[in-house]
Amino acid sequence: MEYMQAPAPSSQGNILCCTCGIPIPPNPANMCVACLRTQVDISEGIPKQVTVHFCKQCERYLQPPATWMQCALESRELLALCLKKLKSSMTKVRLIDAGFLWTEPHSKRIKMKLTIQKEVMNGAILQQVFVVEFVVQYQMCDDCHRVEAKDFWKAVVQVRQKTVHKKTFYYLEQLILKHKLHQNALNIKEIHEGIDFYYGSKQHAQKMVDFLQCTVPCRSKTSQRLISHDIHSNTYNYKSTFSVEIVPVCKDNVVCLSPRLAQSLGNMGQVCVCVRVTSTIHLIDPRTLQIAEVDGNTYWRNPFSSLCNPRQLEEFIVMDIDIIRDQKLGAGAGMRSNKHTLADVWVQKTSEMDTSQQYHCRTFLGHLLNIGDLVMGFDFANSNINDEFLNQMNPHHVPDVVLIKKSYDRSRRVKRRNWKLQEMARDREGMDTDDERQYQDFLEDLEEDEALRKNVNIYRDASKIPVESDTDDDGAPRISLMEMLEELSLNDATGGEGADMMTD
């Protein structure tokens, strides 16, 4: 404790302390600092030990009444939070300085050094320095309570797609991981035909719905159910449900457009192949190389369905191929693809090699196919398809075979694949045994489509060393090392790689 006063003139003499009698400069209390300390304690009423609550799960501090703040040790935010705990008891003193004293990080103690001033006897101003100890007590915040409860949620986003294949879901999963939208979810459940995202607030669920509407063609509906109602404060507690339906079309699907939609897209053919699904459906006409994009609103006004699923694709072998160099399009035709080449192809099923049955078709894969190559396609000539628009078409305009993609040896592709993708942690229910094959199809699509993998984070797999040999090179597309990211892995200093470093 110190005594604060204005500097006295040099001619002013000393006086004796009225209590102990030692000579001191004159002051309004006529007492020395030691005697004033015994008579007056200006820190009286200020608690010397205070409790602060800390959540171990999210590492946030409680700022009463119900706000949780992220504060680092010895930060300005933590200093302000601690001082607010003392604000009510420091109304009669003046705070001059405040700072932290060092304590062990695991001691659950925060010590703060305070300097205060107060006017006492006859206008004398005293200054005192003292230490306040804050005891850290663990308390789980409301958000972490909901996470631990798992079934406690305020809003759910139900994402559904009525298709056999899950390529669009695998692509959507990578987009969610890249933008880190899964971090606010209390729980993620994978069920038949879709995924459910559970959230603790309606705002987080609405943010997810807005993201889905920007990344995949879909439509959504919203409903809410009243849980409780307080008539005294007029507050309502609802549980909200957002239903998001993605268009039932995946990559490599063959579709038949309505005549009206085909005409609006540049007089393209009704039978098209879906080459990609991003925020829109990318279609290509295998007879003319015309391309078009169908967004979600256009699709729901003029819906069309897939004519085949991946299980119905058959393997063909190319017997002859003739590249079509110049083809004139009709009036009002739309854009043509520059990445594909039009060709007339004669193919034969690998299951019918003992016969002379061959099929002629026109394909957009002329830049990839050579005589003797294997290609996957859909056999219209020997299929019974129940589709409204296909049944109304002139049979002469329906192709016998539609080729979808070139076929490569899957075992070789898996063997030399030196990259991987991240996956969301989710609950799985009723999983099909076909999921692994579908996931491999999605990985192959990423290798073949550069535009698709621009939106996906691809990580180098350090645990896998690809085996290179001349016999393994069958021309299958690969992902270059420049497109891969290094996966970040943090090891504790007392275990894993850190233990080896400390013992060296």
Side-chain angles (χ1 to χ4, degrees), residues 419-450:
W419 55 273
K420 60 183 178 180
L421 301 176
Q422 288 186 337
E423 294 187 20
M424 287 190 303
R426 57 188 183 271
D427 297 338
R428 299 175 182 267
E429 294 181 5
M431 290 295 98
D432 193 10
T433 55
D434 199 36
D435 286 350
E436 181 60 30
R437 185 187 64 82
Q438 295 185 13
Y439 188 67
Q440 291 298 326
D441 287 344
F442 174 68
L443 298 182
E444 293 174 2
D445 290 342
L446 289 180
E447 291 177 335
E448 297 167 5
D449 194 344
E450 183 180 356

mmCIF file of all heavy atoms in Angstrom, residues 419-450:
data_model
loop_
_atom_site.group_PDB
_atom_site.id
_atom_site.type_symbol
_atom_site.label_atom_id
_atom_site.label_comp_id
_atom_site.label_asym_id
_atom_site.label_seq_id
_atom_site.Cartn_x
_atom_site.Cartn_y
_atom_site.Cartn_z
ATOM 1 N N TRP A 419 -3.594 -42.317 -54.032
ATOM 2 C CA TRP A 419 -4.297 -41.203 -53.399
ATOM 3 C C TRP A 419 -5.554 -41.736 -52.712
ATOM 4 O O TRP A 419 -5.958 -42.874 -52.910
ATOM 5 C CB TRP A 419 -4.669 -40.134 -54.429
ATOM 6 C CG TRP A 419 -5.461 -40.647 -55.590
ATOM 7 C CD1 TRP A 419 -4.966 -41.185 -56.748
ATOM 8 C CD2 TRP A 419 -6.889 -40.708 -55.714
ATOM 9 N NE1 TRP A 419 -5.987 -41.573 -57.580
ATOM 10 C CE2 TRP A 419 -7.180 -41.274 -56.972
ATOM 11 C CE3 TRP A 419 -7.944 -40.323 -54.883
ATOM 12 C CZ2 TRP A 419 -8.474 -41.471 -57.407
ATOM 13 C CZ3 TRP A 419 -9.246 -40.512 -55.322
ATOM 14 C CH2 TRP A 419 -9.492 -41.086 -56.575
ATOM 15 N N LYS A 420 -6.149 -40.890 -51.891
ATOM 16 C CA LYS A 420 -7.340 -41.282 -51.134
ATOM 17 C C LYS A 420 -8.180 -40.048 -50.844
ATOM 18 O O LYS A 420 -7.742 -38.906 -51.041
ATOM 19 C CB LYS A 420 -6.944 -41.975 -49.827
ATOM 20 C CG LYS A 420 -6.115 -41.102 -48.894
ATOM 21 C CD LYS A 420 -5.701 -41.873 -47.650
ATOM 22 C CE LYS A 420 -4.831 -41.003 -46.737
ATOM 23 N NZ LYS A 420 -4.419 -41.727 -45.516
ATOM 24 N N LEU A 421 -9.373 -40.294 -50.343
ATOM 25 C CA LEU A 421 -10.306 -39.227 -49.974
ATOM 26 C C LEU A 421 -10.644 -39.332 -48.493
ATOM 27 O O LEU A 421 -10.523 -40.390 -47.884
ATOM 28 C CB LEU A 421 -11.603 -39.332 -50.790
ATOM 29 C CG LEU A 421 -11.477 -39.256 -52.312
ATOM 30 C CD1 LEU A 421 -12.842 -39.488 -52.944
ATOM 31 C CD2 LEU A 421 -10.915 -37.922 -52.750
ATOM 32 N N GLN A 422 -11.048 -38.214 -47.929
ATOM 33 C CA GLN A 422 -11.542 -38.229 -46.550
ATOM 34 C C GLN A 422 -13.002 -38.667 -46.528
ATOM 35 O O GLN A 422 -13.719 -38.531 -47.522
ATOM 36 C CB GLN A 422 -11.389 -36.850 -45.907
ATOM 37 C CG GLN A 422 -9.961 -36.474 -45.572
ATOM 38 C CD GLN A 422 -9.889 -35.158 -44.806
ATOM 39 O OE1 GLN A 422 -10.803 -34.344 -44.884
ATOM 40 N NE2 GLN A 422 -8.826 -34.955 -44.079
ATOM 41 N N GLU A 423 -13.441 -39.158 -45.376
ATOM 42 C CA GLU A 423 -14.830 -39.575 -45.218
ATOM 43 C C GLU A 423 -15.407 -38.958 -43.955
ATOM 44 O O GLU A 423 -14.707 -38.755 -42.970
ATOM 45 C CB GLU A 423 -14.936 -41.107 -45.141
ATOM 46 C CG GLU A 423 -14.557 -41.822 -46.418
ATOM 47 C CD GLU A 423 -14.838 -43.310 -46.329
ATOM 48 O OE1 GLU A 423 -15.659 -43.698 -45.465
ATOM 49 O OE2 GLU A 423 -14.242 -44.066 -47.098
ATOM 50 N N MET A 424 -16.699 -38.671 -43.992
ATOM 51 C CA MET A 424 -17.381 -38.144 -42.819
ATOM 52 C C MET A 424 -17.644 -39.256 -41.818
ATOM 53 O O MET A 424 -17.963 -40.390 -42.201
ATOM 54 C CB MET A 424 -18.719 -37.500 -43.217
ATOM 55 C CG MET A 424 -18.601 -36.178 -43.927
ATOM 56 S SD MET A 424 -20.204 -35.348 -44.102
ATOM 57 C CE MET A 424 -21.156 -36.578 -44.961
ATOM 58 N N ALA A 425 -17.511 -38.921 -40.545
ATOM 59 C CA ALA A 425 -17.881 -39.866 -39.481
ATOM 60 C C ALA A 425 -19.402 -39.876 -39.363
ATOM 61 O O ALA A 425 -20.020 -38.848 -39.077
ATOM 62 C CB ALA A 425 -17.236 -39.457 -38.168
ATOM 63 N N ARG A 426 -20.019 -41.022 -39.589
ATOM 64 C CA ARG A 426 -21.480 -41.090 -39.588
ATOM 65 C C ARG A 426 -21.936 -42.480 -39.162
ATOM 66 O O ARG A 426 -21.185 -43.445 -39.235
ATOM 67 C CB ARG A 426 -22.048 -40.753 -40.971
ATOM 68 C CG ARG A 426 -21.519 -41.647 -42.098
ATOM 69 C CD ARG A 426 -21.970 -41.118 -43.450
ATOM 70 N NE ARG A 426 -21.562 -41.971 -44.553
ATOM 71 C CZ ARG A 426 -20.425 -41.872 -45.190
ATOM 72 N NH1 ARG A 426 -19.552 -40.947 -44.813
ATOM 73 N NH2 ARG A 426 -20.133 -42.665 -46.202
ATOM 74 N N ASP A 427 -23.187 -42.549 -38.722
ATOM 75 C CA ASP A 427 -23.799 -43.826 -38.369
ATOM 76 C C ASP A 427 -24.360 -44.468 -39.626
ATOM 77 O O ASP A 427 -25.067 -43.820 -40.409
ATOM 78 C CB ASP A 427 -24.926 -43.622 -37.346
ATOM 79 C CG ASP A 427 -24.401 -43.064 -36.036
ATOM 80 O OD1 ASP A 427 -23.199 -43.236 -35.777
ATOM 81 O OD2 ASP A 427 -25.187 -42.462 -35.281
ATOM 82 N N ARG A 428 -24.060 -45.745 -39.815
ATOM 83 C CA ARG A 428 -24.526 -46.461 -40.997
ATOM 84 C C ARG A 428 -25.616 -47.448 -40.602
ATOM 85 O O ARG A 428 -25.473 -48.183 -39.640
ATOM 86 C CB ARG A 428 -23.368 -47.212 -41.674
ATOM 87 C CG ARG A 428 -22.243 -46.296 -42.157
ATOM 88 C CD ARG A 428 -21.087 -47.114 -42.711
ATOM 89 N NE ARG A 428 -19.990 -46.263 -43.142
ATOM 90 C CZ ARG A 428 -19.821 -45.816 -44.368
ATOM 91 N NH1 ARG A 428 -20.710 -46.146 -45.297
ATOM 92 N NH2 ARG A 428 -18.791 -45.065 -44.693
ATOM 93 N N GLU A 429 -26.686 -47.440 -41.366
ATOM 94 C CA GLU A 429 -27.794 -48.362 -41.114
ATOM 95 C C GLU A 429 -28.215 -48.997 -42.435
ATOM 96 O O GLU A 429 -28.398 -48.309 -43.441
ATOM 97 C CB GLU A 429 -28.992 -47.630 -40.505
ATOM 98 C CG GLU A 429 -28.733 -47.076 -39.109
ATOM 99 C CD GLU A 429 -29.955 -46.395 -38.555
ATOM 100 O OE1 GLU A 429 -30.997 -46.446 -39.226
ATOM 101 O OE2 GLU A 429 -29.864 -45.827 -37.462
ATOM 102 N N GLY A 430 -28.370 -50.292 -42.421
ATOM 103 C CA GLY A 430 -28.866 -50.998 -43.599
ATOM 104 C C GLY A 430 -27.982 -50.839 -44.819
ATOM 105 O O GLY A 430 -28.463 -50.563 -45.908
ATOM 106 N N MET A 431 -26.674 -50.986 -44.644
ATOM 107 C CA MET A 431 -25.760 -50.801 -45.763
ATOM 108 C C MET A 431 -25.842 -51.976 -46.740
ATOM 109 O O MET A 431 -25.969 -53.130 -46.337
ATOM 110 C CB MET A 431 -24.322 -50.655 -45.255
ATOM 111 C CG MET A 431 -24.051 -49.344 -44.526
ATOM 112 S SD MET A 431 -24.213 -47.915 -45.610
ATOM 113 C CE MET A 431 -25.864 -47.370 -45.212
ATOM 114 N N ASP A 432 -25.745 -51.663 -48.009
ATOM 115 C CA ASP A 432 -25.800 -52.673 -49.049
ATOM 116 C C ASP A 432 -24.393 -53.180 -49.340
ATOM 117 O O ASP A 432 -23.405 -52.465 -49.198
ATOM 118 C CB ASP A 432 -26.420 -52.052 -50.309
ATOM 119 C CG ASP A 432 -26.798 -53.110 -51.324
ATOM 120 O OD1 ASP A 432 -26.751 -54.302 -50.986
ATOM 121 O OD2 ASP A 432 -27.148 -52.728 -52.453
ATOM 122 N N THR A 433 -24.294 -54.440 -49.768
ATOM 123 C CA THR A 433 -22.977 -55.003 -50.088
ATOM 124 C C THR A 433 -22.414 -54.411 -51.368
ATOM 125 O O THR A 433 -21.231 -54.600 -51.679
ATOM 126 C CB THR A 433 -23.100 -56.523 -50.252
ATOM 127 O OG1 THR A 433 -24.106 -56.806 -51.246
ATOM 128 C CG2 THR A 433 -23.510 -57.163 -48.930
ATOM 129 N N ASP A 434 -23.239 -53.666 -52.107
ATOM 130 C CA ASP A 434 -22.792 -53.073 -53.363
ATOM 131 C C ASP A 434 -22.096 -51.736 -53.163
ATOM 132 O O ASP A 434 -21.633 -51.112 -54.125
ATOM 133 C CB ASP A 434 -24.011 -52.890 -54.278
ATOM 134 C CG ASP A 434 -23.608 -52.722 -55.725
ATOM 135 O OD1 ASP A 434 -22.632 -53.366 -56.136
ATOM 136 O OD2 ASP A 434 -24.256 -51.954 -56.425
ATOM 137 N N ASP A 435 -21.999 -51.250 -51.911
ATOM 138 C CA ASP A 435 -21.449 -49.920 -51.657
ATOM 139 C C ASP A 435 -19.989 -49.805 -52.072
ATOM 140 O O ASP A 435 -19.571 -48.768 -52.599
ATOM 141 C CB ASP A 435 -21.593 -49.564 -50.169
ATOM 142 C CG ASP A 435 -23.024 -49.219 -49.822
ATOM 143 O OD1 ASP A 435 -23.824 -49.081 -50.767
ATOM 144 O OD2 ASP A 435 -23.340 -49.099 -48.627
ATOM 145 N N GLU A 436 -19.181 -50.830 -51.827
ATOM 146 C CA GLU A 436 -17.766 -50.761 -52.159
ATOM 147 C C GLU A 436 -17.562 -50.631 -53.669
ATOM 148 O O GLU A 436 -16.715 -49.855 -54.121
ATOM 149 C CB GLU A 436 -17.047 -52.014 -51.633
ATOM 150 C CG GLU A 436 -15.553 -52.026 -51.906
ATOM 151 C CD GLU A 436 -14.820 -50.863 -51.274
ATOM 152 O OE1 GLU A 436 -15.268 -50.381 -50.202
ATOM 153 O OE2 GLU A 436 -13.810 -50.418 -51.849
ATOM 154 N N ARG A 437 -18.341 -51.358 -54.445
ATOM 155 C CA ARG A 437 -18.232 -51.252 -55.906
ATOM 156 C C ARG A 437 -18.640 -49.867 -56.386
ATOM 157 O O ARG A 437 -18.008 -49.288 -57.282
ATOM 158 C CB ARG A 437 -19.110 -52.322 -56.567
ATOM 159 C CG ARG A 437 -18.973 -52.375 -58.090
ATOM 160 C CD ARG A 437 -19.978 -53.335 -58.700
ATOM 161 N NE ARG A 437 -21.344 -52.903 -58.482
ATOM 162 C CZ ARG A 437 -21.963 -51.987 -59.242
ATOM 163 N NH1 ARG A 437 -21.316 -51.408 -60.235
ATOM 164 N NH2 ARG A 437 -23.200 -51.656 -58.992
ATOM 165 N N GLN A 438 -19.687 -49.306 -55.780
ATOM 166 C CA GLN A 438 -20.126 -47.970 -56.164
ATOM 167 C C GLN A 438 -19.081 -46.920 -55.794
ATOM 168 O O GLN A 438 -18.860 -45.959 -56.540
ATOM 169 C CB GLN A 438 -21.464 -47.647 -55.489
ATOM 170 C CG GLN A 438 -22.617 -48.520 -55.944
ATOM 171 C CD GLN A 438 -23.938 -48.087 -55.336
ATOM 172 O OE1 GLN A 438 -24.050 -47.012 -54.773
ATOM 173 N NE2 GLN A 438 -24.952 -48.930 -55.453
ATOM 174 N N TYR A 439 -18.429 -47.100 -54.645
ATOM 175 C CA TYR A 439 -17.387 -46.158 -54.242
ATOM 176 C C TYR A 439 -16.191 -46.228 -55.198
ATOM 177 O O TYR A 439 -15.595 -45.188 -55.535
ATOM 178 C CB TYR A 439 -16.947 -46.449 -52.805
ATOM 179 C CG TYR A 439 -16.014 -45.412 -52.224
ATOM 180 C CD1 TYR A 439 -16.458 -44.118 -51.960
ATOM 181 C CD2 TYR A 439 -14.693 -45.721 -51.938
ATOM 182 C CE1 TYR A 439 -15.603 -43.158 -51.434
ATOM 183 C CE2 TYR A 439 -13.837 -44.773 -51.412
ATOM 184 C CZ TYR A 439 -14.297 -43.500 -51.157
ATOM 185 O OH TYR A 439 -13.453 -42.546 -50.629
ATOM 186 N N GLN A 440 -15.844 -47.427 -55.655
ATOM 187 C CA GLN A 440 -14.773 -47.563 -56.633
ATOM 188 C C GLN A 440 -15.155 -46.901 -57.955
ATOM 189 O O GLN A 440 -14.308 -46.294 -58.630
ATOM 190 C CB GLN A 440 -14.440 -49.044 -56.851
ATOM 191 C CG GLN A 440 -13.785 -49.726 -55.662
ATOM 192 C CD GLN A 440 -12.444 -49.115 -55.293
ATOM 193 O OE1 GLN A 440 -11.695 -48.653 -56.157
ATOM 194 N NE2 GLN A 440 -12.136 -49.102 -54.005
ATOM 195 N N ASP A 441 -16.428 -46.976 -58.332
ATOM 196 C CA ASP A 441 -16.888 -46.281 -59.534
ATOM 197 C C ASP A 441 -16.700 -44.776 -59.393
ATOM 198 O O ASP A 441 -16.306 -44.096 -60.351
ATOM 199 C CB ASP A 441 -18.370 -46.589 -59.782
ATOM 200 C CG ASP A 441 -18.585 -48.016 -60.278
ATOM 201 O OD1 ASP A 441 -17.593 -48.631 -60.712
ATOM 202 O OD2 ASP A 441 -19.725 -48.502 -60.215
ATOM 203 N N PHE A 442 -16.984 -44.251 -58.202
ATOM 204 C CA PHE A 442 -16.823 -42.816 -57.976
ATOM 205 C C PHE A 442 -15.356 -42.408 -58.054
ATOM 206 O O PHE A 442 -15.011 -41.362 -58.633
ATOM 207 C CB PHE A 442 -17.414 -42.440 -56.616
ATOM 208 C CG PHE A 442 -17.165 -41.012 -56.213
ATOM 209 C CD1 PHE A 442 -17.763 -39.964 -56.898
ATOM 210 C CD2 PHE A 442 -16.313 -40.713 -55.154
ATOM 211 C CE1 PHE A 442 -17.533 -38.650 -56.529
ATOM 212 C CE2 PHE A 442 -16.076 -39.409 -54.789
ATOM 213 C CZ PHE A 442 -16.688 -38.370 -55.482
ATOM 214 N N LEU A 443 -14.461 -43.213 -57.492
ATOM 215 C CA LEU A 443 -13.030 -42.910 -57.568
ATOM 216 C C LEU A 443 -12.544 -42.926 -59.016
ATOM 217 O O LEU A 443 -11.723 -42.085 -59.419
ATOM 218 C CB LEU A 443 -12.230 -43.920 -56.728
ATOM 219 C CG LEU A 443 -12.510 -43.941 -55.218
ATOM 220 C CD1 LEU A 443 -11.600 -44.951 -54.532
ATOM 221 C CD2 LEU A 443 -12.326 -42.567 -54.596
ATOM 222 N N GLU A 444 -13.058 -43.852 -59.809
ATOM 223 C CA GLU A 444 -12.679 -43.890 -61.220
ATOM 224 C C GLU A 444 -13.222 -42.676 -61.968
ATOM 225 O O GLU A 444 -12.558 -42.154 -62.883
ATOM 226 C CB GLU A 444 -13.184 -45.183 -61.850
ATOM 227 C CG GLU A 444 -12.489 -46.432 -61.311
ATOM 228 C CD GLU A 444 -13.098 -47.710 -61.844
ATOM 229 O OE1 GLU A 444 -14.043 -47.616 -62.662
ATOM 230 O OE2 GLU A 444 -12.645 -48.805 -61.442
ATOM 231 N N ASP A 445 -14.414 -42.208 -61.592
ATOM 232 C CA ASP A 445 -14.954 -40.999 -62.217
ATOM 233 C C ASP A 445 -14.065 -39.794 -61.931
ATOM 234 O O ASP A 445 -13.881 -38.927 -62.797
ATOM 235 C CB ASP A 445 -16.374 -40.731 -61.707
ATOM 236 C CG ASP A 445 -17.369 -41.754 -62.231
ATOM 237 O OD1 ASP A 445 -17.040 -42.430 -63.226
ATOM 238 O OD2 ASP A 445 -18.461 -41.868 -61.644
ATOM 239 N N LEU A 446 -13.522 -39.713 -60.725
ATOM 240 C CA LEU A 446 -12.624 -38.600 -60.398
ATOM 241 C C LEU A 446 -11.359 -38.659 -61.256
ATOM 242 O O LEU A 446 -10.841 -37.613 -61.675
ATOM 243 C CB LEU A 446 -12.256 -38.638 -58.909
ATOM 244 C CG LEU A 446 -13.348 -38.282 -57.911
ATOM 245 C CD1 LEU A 446 -12.816 -38.375 -56.491
ATOM 246 C CD2 LEU A 446 -13.880 -36.873 -58.154
ATOM 247 N N GLU A 447 -10.854 -39.854 -61.494
ATOM 248 C CA GLU A 447 -9.660 -39.989 -62.335
ATOM 249 C C GLU A 447 -9.933 -39.592 -63.773
ATOM 250 O O GLU A 447 -9.069 -39.023 -64.450
ATOM 251 C CB GLU A 447 -9.144 -41.433 -62.274
ATOM 252 C CG GLU A 447 -8.562 -41.828 -60.922
ATOM 253 C CD GLU A 447 -8.132 -43.274 -60.864
ATOM 254 O OE1 GLU A 447 -8.681 -44.080 -61.642
ATOM 255 O OE2 GLU A 447 -7.253 -43.599 -60.051
ATOM 256 N N GLU A 448 -11.137 -39.878 -64.241
ATOM 257 C CA GLU A 448 -11.459 -39.630 -65.641
ATOM 258 C C GLU A 448 -11.933 -38.209 -65.906
ATOM 259 O O GLU A 448 -11.803 -37.727 -67.036
ATOM 260 C CB GLU A 448 -12.542 -40.623 -66.099
ATOM 261 C CG GLU A 448 -12.094 -42.073 -66.042
ATOM 262 C CD GLU A 448 -13.247 -43.033 -66.196
ATOM 263 O OE1 GLU A 448 -14.375 -42.550 -66.447
ATOM 264 O OE2 GLU A 448 -13.049 -44.254 -66.063
ATOM 265 N N ASP A 449 -12.484 -37.528 -64.908
ATOM 266 C CA ASP A 449 -13.088 -36.207 -65.117
ATOM 267 C C ASP A 449 -12.325 -35.153 -64.329
ATOM 268 O O ASP A 449 -12.436 -35.064 -63.103
ATOM 269 C CB ASP A 449 -14.557 -36.235 -64.692
ATOM 270 C CG ASP A 449 -15.331 -35.021 -65.185
ATOM 271 O OD1 ASP A 449 -14.688 -34.034 -65.585
ATOM 272 O OD2 ASP A 449 -16.574 -35.060 -65.170
ATOM 273 N N GLU A 450 -11.554 -34.344 -65.034
ATOM 274 C CA GLU A 450 -10.769 -33.306 -64.357
ATOM 275 C C GLU A 450 -11.657 -32.210 -63.789
ATOM 276 O O GLU A 450 -11.379 -31.667 -62.717
ATOM 277 C CB GLU A 450 -9.771 -32.701 -65.353
ATOM 278 C CG GLU A 450 -8.841 -31.660 -64.746
ATOM 279 C CD GLU A 450 -7.870 -31.098 -65.760
ATOM 280 O OE1 GLU A 450 -7.873 -31.566 -66.919
ATOM 281 O OE2 GLU A 450 -7.100 -30.188 -65.397
#
